[in-house]
Amino acid sequence: MKTALAALAAYSGCAAARRYLDRASSQERSFLEGRVRLKVLWNEGAAFGLPIPAEALPLASAAALGLLWARRKRCPLGTGLMLGGGASNLRERLAEGRVCDYLQFPRAPGPWNRYAFNLADLCVFSGGALCLLRGGKGSRPS
């Protein structure tokens, strides 16, 4: 139940962020003294420019979501965040053929300042980090 609630909350938050962006002007904006930039960019490929054919991305995403669901008891909250974010990106890719990225961190160290993200990406990342920090502790699937 925790996993499903976390997934629903993450998915809903991602959908709300996209609705806001659709209504807001497409003009670039900066926050936190230039540390965060809001700028709409469309990503037709895989994350970080990975060489995965665009036609394979929806199937690969759906398979990954299925595998996550099967392992949800190990880290319910982290898995829920990954499922909600992943489902949000998958829905957008199926509906639009691409994913809207809008968050940039221009002052981030190294190459991270070049990438653009969306809230779904941050949910997937933070859910994965939470599961890694838990280190497999918790209940085991039966």
Side-chain angles (χ1 to χ4, degrees):
M1 185 61 125
K2 290 179 191 177
T3 302
L5 289 174
L8 181 61
Y11 184 88
S12 298
C14 295
R18 272 306 315 273
R19 278 193 304 276
Y20 170 78
L21 285 171
D22 287 343
R23 291 186 189 131
S25 71
S26 60
Q27 187 173 349
E28 180 180 319
R29 290 174 284 180
S30 291
F31 302 93
L32 299 174
E33 299 175 354
R35 288 181 178 88
V36 178
R37 181 182 304 143
L38 193 64
K39 178 181 180 182
V40 173
L41 301 165
W42 289 97
N43 181 359
E44 295 180 9
F48 305 111
L50 293 173
I52 300 173
E55 306 82 37
L57 285 173
L59 182 59
S61 295
L65 291 174
L67 289 172
L68 279 172
W69 182 254
R71 307 286 287 177
R72 68 190 178 276
K73 290 185 180 181
R74 290 185 183 256
C75 181
L77 178 59
T79 302
L81 287 171
M82 289 188 286
L83 286 168
S88 176
N89 274 343
L90 177 59
R91 186 214 52 84
E92 190 164 3
R93 189 167 299 283
L94 290 172
E96 306 271 342
R98 56 192 182 168
V99 174
C100 179
D101 289 329
Y102 45 84
L103 287 171
Q104 292 179 306
F105 302 98
R107 294 188 187 172
W112 292 103
N113 60 14
R114 295 190 310 244
Y115 294 113
F117 305 92
N118 59 34
L119 184 57
D121 298 334
L122 297 179
C123 287
V124 170
F125 178 79
S126 59
L130 182 61
C131 289
L132 285 174
L133 288 173
R134 286 189 45 87
K137 297 177 187 165
S139 60
R140 303 254 181 219
S142 54

